[in-house]
């Protein structure tokens, strides 16, 4: 499923984002604010990958992307790429087994293992906050 925002010439506005995400917008804000709290120099940017994938939002440091936020219709996905140290930390943590299993099953690339998690309710909020902290630490 691709982004709900597919027009390359139109960067999504906060109002459009709120309307698109509905009740899940509060979680988007929570993750963005938490990332900036842990890493105050974080850079936020919208990115248009292609017509196929549409617009996504990234929060990054100078060298790497900390978290991807991928808007969908009434929900969004968070995506991370974790190196080996971060992966080891996650696997030893109290993060949900479903997330650990997805991480272990992810293909390993030079930059690490990538996972995407659907955000449709509050259920995974605490785990996502922990993943953000682990990503920043490693």
């Amino acid at each position: 499923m691709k982004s709900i925002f597919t027009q390359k010439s139109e960067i999504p506005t906060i109002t459009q984002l709120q309307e698109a995400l509905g009740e899940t917008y509060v979680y988007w804000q929570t993750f963005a604010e938490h990332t900036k709290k842990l890493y105050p120099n974080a850079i936020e940017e919208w990115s248009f990958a292609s017509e196929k994938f549409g617009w996504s939002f990234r929060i990054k440091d100078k060298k790497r992307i900390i978290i991807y936020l991928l808007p969908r219709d009434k929900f969004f996905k968070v995506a991370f790429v974790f190196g080996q140290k971060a992966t080891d930390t996650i696997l030893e943590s109290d993060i949900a087994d479903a997330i650990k299993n997805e991480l272990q099953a992810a293909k390993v690339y030079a930059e690490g293992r990538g996972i995407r998690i659907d955000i449709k309710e509050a259920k995974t909020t605490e785990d996502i906050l922990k993943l953000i902290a682990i990503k920043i630490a490693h």
Side-chain angles (χ1 to χ4, degrees):
M1 180 182 292
K2 65 181 177 177
S3 174
I4 193 158
F5 302 113
T6 58
Q7 296 299 316
K8 184 176 183 177
S9 62
E10 188 178 329
I11 297 174
T13 66
I14 293 293
T15 302
Q16 290 171 322
L17 184 63
Q18 289 171 325
E19 290 172 7
L21 299 183
E23 294 178 6
T24 66
Y25 178 71
V26 67
Y27 308 123
W28 178 293
Q29 283 184 297
T30 298
F31 301 150
E33 289 170 8
H34 186 69
T35 304
K36 290 184 285 185
K37 178 182 169 189
L38 295 179
Y39 191 84
N41 294 327
I43 300 162
E44 298 179 321
E45 67 181 14
W46 282 98
S47 175
F48 190 85
S50 67
E51 292 291 329
K52 181 178 177 183
F53 295 106
W55 286 97
S56 65
F57 190 76
R58 309 167 177 201
I59 303 175
K60 62 184 191 171
D61 63 16
K62 292 178 183 175
K63 298 184 278 185
R64 65 196 176 133
I65 296 169
I66 299 168
I67 185 173
Y68 299 83
L69 301 170
L70 314 167
R72 302 298 188 256
D73 188 12
K74 302 301 179 212
F75 77 103
F76 65 100
K77 293 177 177 278
V78 295
F80 295 96
V81 176
F82 294 108
Q84 192 58 52
K85 288 180 185 177
T87 297
D88 292 343
T89 301
I90 293 164
L91 296 177
E92 295 168 6
S93 74
D94 63 351
I95 288 172
D97 287 340
I99 294 172
K100 291 179 185 179
N101 293 340
E102 184 174 342
L103 185 60
Q104 284 181 303
K107 187 172 181 179
V108 180
Y109 294 95
E111 56 277 359
R113 300 170 188 251
I115 61 170
R116 292 179 181 207
I117 303 164
D118 288 356
I119 307 299
K120 297 181 178 181
E121 58 191 5
K123 182 173 74 173
T124 58
T125 302
E126 289 303 315
D127 284 337
I128 302 301
L129 297 177
K130 292 174 187 175
L131 292 173
I132 292 167
I134 291 168
K135 176 68 179 186
I136 290 170
H138 297 285

